[in-house]
Amino acid sequence: MSSITIKNLTKSFGDTIAVDELSLHIEDREFLVMVGPTGAGKTTTLRCVAGLERPTNGAVLFDGEDMAGVSPAARDVAFVFQDYALYPRKMVSANIAFPLEARRYTKAQTEAEVVRVTRMLRIDGLLDRLPWQLSGGEQQRVALARAMVRTPRVFLMDEPLTNLDFQLRAQMRSELKRIQRELDVTFFYVTNDQLEALSMGDRIAVLNKGRLQQVGTQDEVYEHPANLFVASFIGSTRMNFLKCAYNADAGALTSVMGAWSLPATAEMRVRVQATSDLGNLILGIRPEDVQISPEAGDDELKGQVFVVEPLGDRNVVDVAVGPEMVKIKTPPAFLLDPGVQVSIRFSMSRAHLFDGVTHEALM
Amino acid sequence: MNRTRRRRARSLIGRILFWVAVAMILLFFLFPLHWMVVTSFKRTAEVTLLPPTLIPWVQFNPTLKNYVEVLTKMPAGLLSAGTYKQSGFPQALLNSILISGAATVIAVLLGTVAAYAFSRFRIPGKGDLLFFILSTRMLPPVVTLVPVFVMFISFGWRNTFHGITLLYVAAGLPFVVWMMKGFFDEIPREYEEAAMIDGYSRLEAVWKIVIPEAIPAMLATAVFVLIMAWNEFLFVQLLNPGKFTTVPPFLYAIIGYGRVEWGRMAATSVIFLAPIVLFTWLVRKHLLRGVTFGAVRR
Amino acid sequence: MSEIRIQDLTKVFPNGTVAVRNLHLDVADGELLVLLGPSGCGKTTTLRCVGGLETQTSGDIWIGDRVVNDLGPGERDIAFVFQFYALYPHIRVYDNIAFPLRATGVSRDEVDRRVSAVAETLRISHILRERPKRLSSGEQQRVALGRAMIRRPQAFLMDEPLTNLDAALRADMRIELKHLQNELGTTMLYVTHDQTEAMTMGNRVAVLNLGVLEQVGVPLEIYDRPNTLFVAGFVGSPPMNLIAMQLAQDALKSEDAQQVMLDTSVADRIRAKQTGRELVLGVRAEDIRLTSGGNGGDLRAEIATREPLGDQTLYSVMLNHQLIQVTTASTERFEVGETVGLHLDRSRLRVFDASTGTALV
Amino acid sequence: MADEEVGAGRRAAESRRGPRSRFQWLNDTLLSTMFLSPTLVVLLFVAIFPLIWSLYLSFTEYSVIRDAGAWTSAPWIGLRNYQTLLRDPQLWQRFQITAGFVVPTVAVEFLFGFGIALLLNRDFKARSFITTVILIPMMLSTVVVGLFWRFMLQTDFGIIDYFIRDVFGLRPVFWLTERLPARMALVLVDTWQWTPFIVLISLAGLSAVPKYLYEAADIDQASAWFKFRQITLPLVSPLLVIAILFRLMDTYKLFELVWVLTGGGPGDSTKNVPVYLYKIAFGSFKTGEASGIGYIMLVVVIALASLLIRVLNQMRAEEA
């Protein structure tokens, strides 16, 4: 196994810059997930590491040795493609054995290895099928087997679960994580699904427009997003963002739209000093950190129910607070008709504050 | 309910009209072929007989005479004309097979690798190169005929096997390149990339993974090149009048000299066209790509 | 009055496949009913029959107060929104929206008034001059909606209208569409394979499988009290945990002889209805509570994986070769490999007959 | 579980095995040159080099027969060939004849072909069989086609004339021996052979139009004309353009059919530019002058070709 070091990597196609001055270190035996919207440059980064693309600038190092000019074959990495790229005319067994052929394994050795991985992935029944005869999930496993049959320096995975339906995807998430722990190997995993990132990664690297936004554990990126993008991208129901201004003498945050005003926490009072423009802040609060109640109380915001979305284990209620819309998670029993007046309370201790100009987090 | 009945009635009339139209279309396109086949089985006297006899056995009893003669005897006209001494129809047919066959194989092999390069590699001025390649195909044959004739004279390539073959290779290449590029563009790069990751060089990846994928496409392409060479008339009749001539000039010669033996002409044509019809059927799925240089798919 | 009534609808395709079998379904006036099911379950075929784009093999379809079996699509006074929007490629957005009116001969300025009104509600006034191909999928989607709304039809028929939008946009359009339907109060039959869409949008949800209606009900009913194993396994993410069990006295016994005690009344009801011995216990991930140590609790199992999802954490526990999924508040924490006790919320358990697949309790 | 750990242990023990692939030294740049050069060489040698040669010849009074291989010694006469040609009314007549053939032929083939496509663009029994069968003519050798139609168009015993005369009782048409009929004969035969080409491409376009567009139109109670005008035509037109350009080019270059069917006659009534060029080059063996005509012909072709190729590339881009 190896660690991967990416040193201010830049890759541009013509005049479009896919990856921009990206630096990132992946520990040996770490499961690192790189997450971002489509076109963020995730896949390009991965392909540069694999040697399928030649970086325009910067370097990729395995265990500190520079990989420039080393062919993909010689880098000895495993790569799982989004649509699996199983060799259509080879049977499953031949597909999996293919990397071993290149390494001049004897028939017996190859046999043994193939059996070992297919057992592990519970596809040993499919050995003499052809790819098109397999379901999406099975193809997925064969692709994994082909990667796992040898001991590559690192596993590179390009959105391997995107083509599966959601039930299967949930299964494979836990499966992949188990495999990585059992094999005890380095995973560099790329996805556009924040749920996969949160649930699988030891650490998560958030990428947008070719630039690295934040690297950290689940807790760090979820609880302490470094900027507005990370805050909005991570989390299954989008964080609420409210434009507001800080009023120093009142020590309160006031809505720009003037619909509300809330006392800032002690910590906020300190942090806001970091920005110059106190009139231009963004308050971020997650739907689960907002409480809603039909009956009005004091120091609470008034609002009107817009839409209720029951999800079974919880509801998401959209409440119109003046001109702004606030999403709130409630227990499933909590059902309200559109138009009903409600009052809501933010747990300010868990709120986030962002600079309205730089969009950097103030806390 | 009667509303639906009315609808049904209308659709019935529509269907009848439709099938009548289809029948007429088929008649227009297929009758000449039918007439050719029928004629090839007639005795010389019946060929020009009016009113025409269209249905074998019923209206006339077919004979293989024409076919036998085509394959055994030299047409009287040609003997007197003096050329084609050594080459009867069998000879011409053999030439057709050998020349178009050789040309096809070479063109497909060279063209395929070139197409792969165009499909996968970043090549400086790729667009222009492709344009150049295709444009050579667009040149009017007659225009190139003049200099090619001069060239063949001065190289002493007239009436040679390799001369005309090379010519057909050049004629086939642009087609192969464009066709195969179209096909390669559809084979996902991930296949090679996966193979390269698995520890193979690109050449090995191409050989082990891509080519097997491309073989059906190559066969289809080959058929088109073959038909092209098989049908070519202009160049071969001018450059290879002698012992390396192919069937089309031979046919033309039958008409050209003395009294026309239509029945025999028909028989020769049938033999010559049969493989084309067969091939057309084989590549029917690819005809569209074929006639548009692979630009239009499905 | 513009409810849709589907009576004993059956559609068999020429190649012999039965797409829909004896379907009865009523959509009340002003209701948004979602047809939910996996691809190939016959939901789209049903919709197309209602729209007149397919002719049913047998059965009647009512729209409003008339049978429309013999009417062409144009004569049924419905609007259809296609998965790929089906905008006329070479005429401007304005004309696309105006088209249905033009066909029915409405005066020019009336058309103009209504188009601009619709464009206003859908916030597409600024693109009226564009041609469809230059629009984003989100905008195309709105234009398609506009073309549907403009004629004020008796009913909207929607065929997976949101499938081609990216996740974020889909979430927004969901809300907007639901709100819109609320405002207009027009009957809507909505087809989708996405159970989240179905849950969040439908006044009621009808689950189809293999051309047969599995269950109809309000979203929470479908979620909490699935009538069949299929519904239980299809609705909800994660779907309901389904655990093989057998009845032993007043308890459910798992393959590894662990027991889940039941009230005698419940047990009796099961005994009364069950056809074979094999049962399936259905329990939602959020209806299981975990406790460390494993003693105490109905079942004991080992934590296989831990997946933090932000606001909650999803654990998979290994219960004799089967992964059971449990969601907990992200504040609780258990380690992989740890043995835990599973406490099942009695009030929310479902028990199915393994052979018939139907719910007993 | 257990045996997996063993497996893992063994793998750890055995030193990681790198691949031993051949041809690693063969990098992409080398490979692409290797793949491209043969094709380019052949084309340069057989297609381009002769053209340049003939460009040179077009400035000489060279004649293959007279001064055979000794083309270097052919007298250089600069632009005189072109001067005489451009002054020569003959050439212009030839171009008129060509146009007089190209325009009606392509028009007829297009209308006929697109019509048939519209007719066949529905599902009915034996659709694929019928569509394939009517495509056969365009694959056949033009020489054979020409010869056989010559047989059918004979005035005395030709079958077509039989129908005209004895069945419909009209006066005989002297297809190959009168000026106008001869031209009509060319149009007729080329139509027979190449209408299928238009059918093929049109059908492709028509069947690519998504069905749901028509369904939407049904629900909106659109007229058949609207469907054709607003849905069918716009979506098919790019392909139609390709088809027409192809046909324009081929009919403009047409040699074999004319040569076999009418030989340019009667008189010179069907002698189009290619035939004219051929006769100058190999009848009177004025190679230099012929080359000149060739280059004048090229101007038109290049215009058409570049247009066509641009459309083709566009098509590709959209398909990809």
Side-chain angles (χ1 to χ4, degrees):
Chain A
M1 284 297 110
S2 320
S3 68
I4 307 172
T5 316
I6 301 172
K7 277 218 190 102
N8 44 34
L9 173 74
T10 301
K11 175 67 182 177
S12 50
F13 300 99
D15 46 9
T16 60
I17 299 174
V19 183
D20 193 358
E21 289 290 318
L22 174 72
S23 291
L24 180 64
H25 179 72
I26 301 166
E27 290 300 333
D28 187 5
R29 291 170 166 69
E30 180 180 27
F31 195 137
L32 185 125
V33 178
M34 178 176 269
V35 68
T38 37
K42 317 180 292 289
T43 302
T44 311
T45 313
L46 201 66
R47 289 171 61 84
C48 287
V49 173
L52 295 172
E53 300 282 354
R54 183 181 286 104
T56 316
N57 227 325
V60 173
L61 300 82
F62 290 0
D63 290 331
E65 92 184 79
D66 191 341
M67 285 289 126
V70 181
S71 77
R75 291 188 189 201
D76 192 17
V77 298
F79 197 108
V80 178
F81 293 85
Q82 175 172 351
D83 29 32
Y84 319 138
L86 300 179
Y87 308 123
R89 286 170 201 281
K90 289 180 182 290
M91 291 192 305
V92 168
S93 50
N95 259 284
I96 300 172
F98 200 58
L100 301 184
E101 276 173 42
R103 291 163 174 74
R104 309 280 185 279
Y105 272 53
T106 68
K107 272 227 167 310
Q109 289 171 308
T110 313
E111 194 84 5
E113 292 298 294
V114 171
V115 169
R116 178 180 59 78
V117 284
T118 46
R119 280 239 185 81
M120 184 169 175
L121 289 167
R122 298 194 302 281
I123 49 172
D124 41 351
L126 307 175
L127 287 181
D128 49 9
R129 300 271 188 83
L130 284 166
W132 61 268
Q133 298 170 303
L134 304 177
S135 72
E138 291 167 337
Q139 293 186 22
Q140 228 289 321
R141 287 164 182 276
V142 175
L144 281 174
R146 188 174 63 187
M148 287 160 54
V149 71
R150 57 205 172 96
T151 22
R153 301 178 72 170
V154 295
F155 285 82
L156 307 175
M157 308 228 163
D158 186 8
E159 311 202 5
L161 303 187
T162 11
N163 294 353
L164 306 180
D165 61 51
F166 79 97
Q167 278 109 340
L168 206 50
R169 211 178 304 152
Q171 268 182 41
M172 286 307 291
R173 280 209 313 259
S174 18
E175 180 108 14
L176 273 177
K177 196 164 182 178
R178 209 189 75 233
I179 290 168
Q180 188 263 348
R181 194 170 290 111
E182 267 170 19
L183 296 179
D184 188 27
V185 293
T186 315
F187 263 42
F188 183 8
Y189 183 108
V190 156
T191 180
N192 57 10
D193 176 354
Q194 57 88 28
L195 208 62
E196 278 175 31
L198 284 174
S199 59
M200 298 167 82
D202 295 334
R203 283 189 310 149
I204 298 164
V206 185
L207 203 65
N208 186 35
K209 304 215 175 90
R211 291 176 173 279
L212 190 63
Q213 305 292 318
Q214 184 176 6
V215 190
T217 65
Q218 299 106 350
D219 287 356
E220 284 164 354
V221 290
Y222 190 81
E223 302 295 343
H224 308 287
N227 59 37
L228 207 60
F229 175 80
V230 177
S232 63
F233 191 79
I234 302 292
S236 48
T237 332
R238 203 160 152 280
M239 184 188 274
N240 297 299
F241 296 112
L242 305 163
K243 286 188 172 300
C244 62
Y246 178 66
N247 175 334
D249 26 321
L253 295 167
T254 327
S255 161
V256 172
M257 315 255 188
W260 50 268
S261 172
L262 294 165
T265 62
E267 189 186 8
M268 287 179 177
R269 294 205 178 85
V270 183
R271 297 306 185 96
V272 287
Q273 305 313 330
T275 172
S276 52
D277 185 356
L278 293 175
N280 190 350
L281 302 173
I282 295 174
L283 178 69
I285 181 124
R286 296 207 180 268
E288 63 265 28
D289 299 331
V290 186
Q291 291 75 36
I292 179 170
S293 61
E295 65 285 337
D298 49 350
D299 77 82
E300 288 175 339
L301 308 182
K302 303 282 175 291
Q304 188 185 33
V305 174
F306 183 68
V307 168
V308 180
E309 295 191 288
L311 292 167
D313 56 342
R314 60 183 189 281
N315 300 343
V316 175
V317 184
D318 286 55
V319 175
V321 178
E324 292 159 299
M325 202 59 79
V326 179
K327 282 188 183 295
I328 304 167
K329 275 188 194 160
T330 73
F334 193 90
L335 282 169
L336 291 167
D337 296 334
V340 173
Q341 292 294 334
V342 292
S343 56
I344 60 177
R345 173 189 285 124
F346 297 165
S347 13
M348 291 301 274
S349 58
R350 301 185 46 78
H352 306 261
L353 213 49
F354 301 93
D355 183 319
V357 185
T358 65
H359 289 185
E360 291 305 312
L362 296 175
M363 48 200 309
Chain B
M1 276 300 106
N2 60 8
R3 163 189 230 118
T4 38
R5 205 173 297 117
R6 242 185 281 116
R7 221 177 258 150
R8 290 224 185 75
R10 225 183 290 115
S11 73
L12 179 67
I13 296 167
R15 251 205 253 90
I16 293 170
L17 290 177
F18 167 74
W19 282 108
V20 171
V22 171
M24 285 167 63
I25 294 167
L26 285 177
L27 187 71
F28 175 71
F29 286 114
L30 296 187
F31 177 75
L33 298 175
H34 170 74
W35 185 232
M36 174 184 290
V37 176
V38 172
T39 309
S40 72
F41 287 106
K42 288 180 177 177
R43 298 195 168 60
T44 323
E46 291 160 335
V47 167
T48 54
L49 201 63
L50 289 183
T53 49
L54 296 169
I55 311 150
W57 290 292
V58 180
Q59 289 178 312
F60 69 97
N61 43 356
T63 167
L64 290 173
K65 159 176 162 300
N66 292 321
Y67 289 90
V68 176
E69 287 190 352
V70 164
L71 295 171
T72 53
K73 287 210 257 135
M74 281 293 290
L78 293 194
L79 287 175
S80 58
T83 46
Y84 298 92
K85 279 255 170 324
Q86 57 287 81
S87 61
F89 174 75
Q91 177 66 47
L93 189 62
L94 182 65
N95 291 343
S96 277
I97 295 170
L98 292 179
I99 292 171
S100 42
T104 304
V105 172
I106 301 171
V108 170
L109 291 184
L110 300 189
T112 302
V113 288
Y116 176 84
F118 277 121
S119 165
R120 291 295 198 263
F121 298 133
R122 297 203 181 86
I123 298 161
K126 181 187 285 183
D128 306 343
L129 271 176
L130 278 166
F131 180 95
F132 155 73
I133 288 179
L134 187 52
S135 56
T136 63
R137 174 63 192 282
M138 305 264 173
L139 296 172
V142 203
V143 175
T144 38
L145 181 60
V146 180
V148 165
F149 183 73
V150 178
M151 183 165 95
F152 271 48
I153 294 256
S154 17
F155 292 3
W157 280 2
R158 282 189 82 201
N159 290 316
T160 63
F161 178 82
H162 61 270
I164 196 74
T165 309
L166 180 63
L167 210 56
Y168 288 170
V169 170
L173 269 174
F175 177 78
V176 179
V177 170
W178 272 61
M179 247 335 230
M180 289 310 296
K181 179 177 183 299
F183 279 109
F184 280 130
D185 290 345
E186 281 169 27
I187 301 176
R189 303 163 163 274
E190 280 79 3
Y191 290 155
E192 296 110 282
E193 292 178 341
M196 281 153 72
I197 293 277
D198 285 346
Y200 295 86
S201 65
R202 184 181 284 272
L203 191 60
E204 285 173 304
V206 172
W207 179 247
K208 289 175 187 279
I209 303 297
V210 182
I211 292 300
E213 271 305 287
I215 280 188
M218 289 170 73
L219 290 179
T221 312
V223 169
F224 283 102
V225 180
L226 192 67
I227 292 176
M228 213 155 54
W230 185 260
N231 289 342
E232 204 283 324
F233 166 73
L234 180 56
F235 283 85
V236 71
Q237 61 99 27
L238 189 74
L239 300 174
N240 281 25
K243 79 174 200 296
F244 282 113
T245 196
T246 58
V247 175
F250 177 84
L251 262 166
Y252 183 66
I254 302 184
I255 305 298
Y257 301 88
R259 179 176 124 274
V260 181
E261 303 168 70
W262 293 109
R264 183 169 185 158
M265 196 279 285
T268 320
S269 307
V270 170
I271 299 173
F272 177 66
L273 295 187
I276 302 295
V277 174
L278 174 70
F279 280 138
T280 310
W281 184 255
L282 288 181
V283 294
R284 58 188 182 282
K285 295 255 174 311
H286 302 285
L287 280 173
L288 185 64
R289 283 167 173 269
V291 296
T292 59
F293 294 90
V296 185
R297 285 143 204 200
R298 333 164 297 102
Chain C
M1 282 303 290
S2 64
E3 82 277 38
I4 300 172
R5 303 226 309 278
I6 301 172
Q7 293 179 339
D8 197 22
L9 179 77
T10 299
K11 173 65 179 180
V12 184
F13 281 110
N15 63 16
T17 53
V18 183
V20 185
R21 184 179 274 113
N22 308 96
L23 175 67
H24 288 271
L25 195 60
D26 290 5
V27 189
D29 185 16
E31 178 183 33
L32 194 170
L33 183 127
V34 178
L35 274 177
L36 174 65
S39 55
C41 72
K43 50 189 194 303
T44 298
T45 310
T46 309
L47 190 74
R48 291 172 59 84
C49 287
V50 176
L53 300 174
E54 304 274 358
T55 3
Q56 64 266 39
T57 315
S58 68
D60 292 340
I61 292 171
W62 296 67
I63 296 175
D65 44 18
R66 52 183 189 158
V67 181
V68 294
N69 299 359
D70 291 339
L71 301 185
E75 305 161 319
R76 298 193 176 192
D77 189 16
I78 43 94
F80 201 111
V81 176
F82 293 80
Q83 182 176 352
F84 299 96
Y85 318 139
L87 302 179
Y88 306 126
H90 286 256
I91 59 179
R92 300 178 186 284
V93 168
Y94 180 97
D95 302 302
N96 260 284
I97 298 177
F99 186 71
L101 294 185
R102 296 253 176 80
T104 55
V106 180
S107 71
R108 289 193 106 284
D109 46 356
E110 169 65 5
V111 170
D112 205 57
R113 209 175 307 114
R114 275 161 78 169
V115 171
S116 40
V118 167
E120 198 55 47
T121 13
L122 293 169
R123 288 184 266 103
I124 51 172
S125 313
H126 59 291
I127 55 170
L128 285 176
R129 298 255 137 269
E130 299 287 344
R131 293 192 193 281
K133 64 170 66 160
R134 318 232 343 276
L135 303 179
S136 74
S137 52
E139 291 167 327
Q140 291 189 25
Q141 167 62 229
R142 291 167 181 279
V143 177
L145 284 174
R147 191 175 63 186
M149 285 163 54
I150 190 89
R151 63 198 310 198
R152 304 181 187 141
Q154 286 197 52
F156 290 125
L157 307 180
M158 306 251 173
D159 185 7
E160 312 225 354
L162 304 186
T163 351
N164 296 356
L165 306 178
D166 63 55
L169 195 52
R170 206 180 306 144
D172 298 347
M173 279 307 286
R174 231 160 52 198
I175 295 168
E176 197 164 328
L177 210 55
K178 185 177 186 177
H179 184 71
L180 195 66
Q181 192 269 344
N182 247 321
E183 299 289 292
L184 298 171
T186 313
T187 312
M188 188 186 284
L189 185 53
Y190 186 106
V191 160
T192 181
H193 66 273
D194 176 345
Q195 54 92 32
T196 317
E197 243 171 66
M199 294 279 294
T200 53
M201 292 181 67
N203 299 110
R204 286 190 306 150
V205 178
V207 184
L208 253 67
N209 183 33
L210 305 173
V212 179
L213 185 62
E214 294 266 341
Q215 186 172 0
V216 199
V218 301
L220 283 184
E221 196 178 329
I222 299 276
Y223 183 88
D224 293 337
R225 312 190 54 74
N227 282 344
T228 66
L229 280 172
F230 175 79
V231 176
F234 190 75
V235 175
S237 61
M240 195 176 243
N241 294 303
L242 299 170
I243 312 164
M245 290 281 182
Q246 286 190 354
L247 194 62
Q249 287 91 29
D250 288 357
L252 289 172
K253 198 149 115 299
S254 73
E255 284 164 10
D256 59 354
Q258 299 199 56
Q259 296 215 338
V260 180
M261 297 306 294
L262 298 173
D263 308 349
T264 324
S265 59
V266 178
D268 292 338
R269 246 186 302 153
I270 296 174
R271 242 180 244 99
K273 291 196 211 154
Q274 77 186 128
T275 60
R277 310 190 64 258
E278 300 306 323
L279 301 173
V280 176
L281 171 63
V283 55
R284 290 272 174 205
E286 64 271 19
D287 297 334
I288 304 176
R289 192 166 48 81
L290 297 180
T291 51
S292 307
N295 30 26
D298 308 292
L299 302 164
R300 306 174 64 255
E302 188 181 87
I303 302 263
T305 58
R306 171 178 180 279
E307 302 181 38
L309 306 181
D311 56 334
Q312 47 182 215
T313 307
L314 178 66
Y315 290 96
S316 307
V317 302
M318 190 62 88
L319 184 71
N320 50 73
H321 326 302
Q322 189 187 356
L323 283 178
I324 307 286
Q325 303 200 290
V326 184
T327 45
T328 69
S330 43
T331 48
E332 300 180 54
R333 184 172 180 109
F334 305 89
E335 291 316 319
V336 174
E338 178 181 353
T339 310
V340 292
L342 282 61
H343 303 256
L344 312 184
D345 179 340
R346 286 290 180 291
S347 63
R348 298 175 59 81
L349 293 186
R350 281 308 252 176
V351 179
F352 301 89
D353 186 315
S355 50
T356 63
T358 53
L360 304 174
V361 183
Chain D
M1 211 62 205
D3 65 340
E4 267 160 27
E5 273 154 19
V6 176
R10 195 184 74 250
R11 289 200 322 290
E14 122 189 62
S15 63
R16 184 193 291 107
R17 254 204 242 180
R20 317 217 192 93
S21 57
R22 308 191 200 80
F23 308 110
Q24 275 300 357
W25 52 271
L26 198 52
N27 62 30
D28 290 3
T29 344
L30 262 166
L31 206 58
S32 58
T33 26
M34 236 180 61
F35 280 178
L36 283 176
S37 36
T39 299
L40 293 178
V41 170
V42 171
L43 287 178
L44 280 174
F45 181 64
V46 185
I48 300 309
F49 161 63
L51 268 187
I52 297 163
W53 195 343
S54 73
L55 181 60
Y56 162 79
L57 291 181
S58 70
F59 297 115
T60 69
E61 206 163 31
Y62 177 69
S63 161
V64 201
I65 296 304
R66 199 183 54 227
D67 25 36
W71 52 274
T72 34
S73 62
W76 178 272
I77 55 168
L79 289 172
R80 207 179 316 140
N81 280 332
Y82 291 94
Q83 286 163 356
T84 38
L85 281 170
L86 295 173
R87 285 214 205 80
D88 177 4
Q90 262 281 332
L91 187 63
W92 298 121
Q93 284 173 21
R94 298 303 136 226
F95 269 104
Q96 284 162 20
I97 297 277
T98 312
F101 166 71
V102 170
V103 175
T105 308
V106 175
V108 172
E109 286 173 4
F110 172 71
L111 294 176
F112 193 23
F114 190 48
I116 294 178
L118 285 173
L119 183 75
L120 294 181
N121 181 43
R122 63 186 78 182
D123 6 326
F124 56 89
K125 279 193 220 64
R127 175 177 197 252
S128 64
F129 176 76
I130 289 176
T131 40
T132 312
V133 165
I134 65 172
L135 294 182
I136 290 173
M138 71 177 185
M139 307 299 281
L140 302 181
S141 145
T142 312
V143 175
V144 178
V145 169
L147 287 177
F148 198 77
W149 276 89
R150 198 162 120 189
F151 170 55
M152 295 201 301
L153 290 171
Q154 294 292 330
T155 309
D156 37 14
F157 54 81
I159 184 157
I160 292 187
D161 210 50
Y162 162 77
F163 282 107
I164 295 179
R165 232 182 18 242
D166 303 5
V167 178
F168 301 111
L170 306 170
R171 35 177 291 278
V173 179
F174 296 89
W175 288 107
L176 305 174
T177 49
E178 282 183 351
R179 292 168 167 276
L180 186 60
R183 292 183 187 162
M184 281 161 57
L186 281 174
V187 177
L188 170 68
V189 178
D190 197 76
T191 306
W192 178 80
Q193 193 177 9
W194 289 106
T195 301
F197 177 86
I198 307 268
V199 175
L200 177 61
I201 297 188
S202 310
L203 269 178
L206 288 173
S207 53
V209 180
K211 199 158 149 294
Y212 55 75
L213 280 178
Y214 294 114
E215 293 174 335
D218 283 335
I219 286 172
D220 294 346
Q221 291 178 302
S223 65
W225 170 245
F226 174 90
K227 290 187 207 166
F228 182 73
R229 181 77 196 67
Q230 293 300 347
I231 300 176
T232 311
L233 266 192
L235 291 181
V236 178
S237 46
L239 275 182
L240 295 183
V241 171
I242 289 185
I244 291 175
L245 284 173
F246 263 111
R247 288 312 301 144
L248 282 176
M249 192 129 93
D250 292 351
T251 44
Y252 171 72
K253 299 189 296 197
L254 188 75
F255 171 84
E256 285 166 328
L257 184 61
V258 184
W259 187 251
V260 173
L261 197 63
T262 68
D268 281 348
S269 54
T270 59
K271 193 197 266 180
N272 63 356
V273 180
V275 176
Y276 177 62
L277 165 54
Y278 187 86
K279 292 206 162 152
I280 297 278
F282 306 102
S284 40
F285 284 105
K286 296 185 192 156
T287 315
E289 190 180 332
S291 313
I293 304 176
Y295 269 89
I296 296 171
M297 232 187 126
L298 272 185
V299 180
V300 180
V301 172
I302 290 169
L304 279 173
S306 50
L307 190 59
L308 175 54
I309 294 180
R310 195 165 300 121
V311 183
L312 286 181
N313 278 327
Q314 208 177 321
M315 203 72 206
R316 267 258 174 74
E318 282 165 18
E319 295 249 351

